[in-house]
Amino acid sequence: MKVSLKEYLNNPCGTLSIPYWKAKITPISNSIVILHQNEFHHQYDEYQRYFRLFHPLKDLKPIPKDIETIDITEELLHLLNICFEKENIELTLEDLNRMKSHPTFYQNLWMGIRIEGKLIACGIAEYDRECREGVIEWICTLPQSQKEGYGTKIISCLLHRLEQLGALFVTVSGRVDNTSNPEKFYRSCGFIGSDIWYTCKKEGS
């Protein structure tokens, strides 16, 4: 679906299922159809639901002090793959390094928290200068360190850094039916909205 920048900025989460910069370069497979909740009437049997939420960068919490900028390492890769295991996602160092080639890459938007020298939580964001949109990609905490507020701290720091870069708003997305309920977490961090997108598999594909 091709939309203008003006159309997107008028309603980012309701206009596209992914950020504007990704929509310009990401081909859509002929085997799937992506529909907004207003267009979905159970015309497809197989589908995945994804939320998109919006943060207006208002009333930000104070910047936490115990977060550092991190680089791509085996330690970071290990943390991500542990957190994504239930989603059947396995990343490689090549996957992470490819992100450095994106025009939305900023090193200071790769954040981590260490306890006794061990990386126990991380967060990654991107910044699109064209539409001044920040995009939260991954917020991960080791299972044994969850429920301690580390993810909230990383979100707070990323929001501040995105605002400093010039972002006017920040978006995030995730699978609605993820057992870890990321939507609830992001809403607790100030993200708002009600847009759901359906990625539907065409019959016979």
Side-chain angles (χ1 to χ4, degrees):
M1 178 181 180
K2 292 185 177 181
V3 301
S4 69
L5 179 58
K6 183 178 179 180
E7 288 174 310
Y8 181 74
L9 292 176
N10 186 54
N11 182 16
C13 296
T15 302
L16 289 173
S17 63
I18 56 177
Y20 182 74
W21 78 268
K22 286 188 179 181
K24 291 193 300 181
I25 64 172
T26 304
I28 298 177
S29 170
N30 291 329
S31 64
I32 65 170
V33 176
I34 300 175
L35 300 173
H36 188 265
Q37 61 198 39
N38 295 336
E39 304 168 307
F40 183 79
H41 307 294
H42 293 278
Q43 59 269 59
Y44 296 94
D45 295 326
E46 293 187 57
Y47 58 83
Q48 293 276 0
R49 299 186 300 162
Y50 295 87
F51 63 83
R52 280 204 82 196
L53 300 176
F54 176 97
H55 199 294
L57 291 175
K58 305 293 184 183
D59 303 318
L60 297 182
K61 297 177 181 179
I63 303 176
K65 303 297 183 183
D66 54 348
I67 302 179
E68 62 183 71
T69 300
I70 57 175
D71 204 346
I72 295 171
T73 62
E74 290 280 1
E75 185 181 27
L76 171 61
L77 180 68
H78 179 66
L79 169 58
L80 291 170
N81 281 331
I82 287 176
C83 295
F84 290 147
E85 187 174 6
K86 290 183 178 180
E87 293 294 299
N88 295 315
I89 296 173
E90 184 173 1
L91 298 164
T92 66
L93 286 176
E94 289 73 21
D95 294 326
L96 300 183
N97 280 310
R98 272 195 294 271
M99 296 180 70
K100 281 192 169 186
S101 66
H102 296 170
T104 56
F105 171 80
Y106 287 80
Q107 186 68 64
N108 70 341
L109 296 179
W110 289 55
M111 310 297 302
I113 296 178
R114 294 182 184 276
I115 301 295
E116 298 180 350
K118 181 180 180 180
L119 185 67
I120 58 94
C122 70
I124 295 170
E126 297 171 312
Y127 176 55
D128 177 11
R129 288 171 290 181
E130 182 179 8
C131 61
R132 299 179 70 179
E133 174 183 11
V135 182
I136 301 292
E137 290 289 357
W138 300 324
I139 304 296
C140 296
T141 304
L142 287 176
Q144 63 268 32
S145 300
Q146 292 176 1
K147 310 296 184 182
E148 300 293 334
Y150 298 126
T152 301
K153 285 185 176 183
I154 289 175
I155 285 283
S156 180
C157 190
L158 286 173
L159 292 177
H160 276 282
R161 291 198 174 187
L162 285 163
E163 183 185 47
Q164 291 164 5
L165 284 170
L168 298 177
F169 63 97
V170 179
T171 60
V172 69
S173 63
R175 196 163 63 86
V176 172
D177 301 306
N178 189 321
T179 55
S180 64
N181 199 357
E183 182 178 357
K184 180 179 179 181
F185 164 69
Y186 288 119
R187 288 188 184 279
S188 73
C189 295
F191 285 81
I192 57 176
S194 58
D195 292 289
I196 304 295
W197 289 85
Y198 289 75
T199 299
C200 311
K201 185 177 180 181
K202 291 181 181 179
E203 190 173 338
S205 298

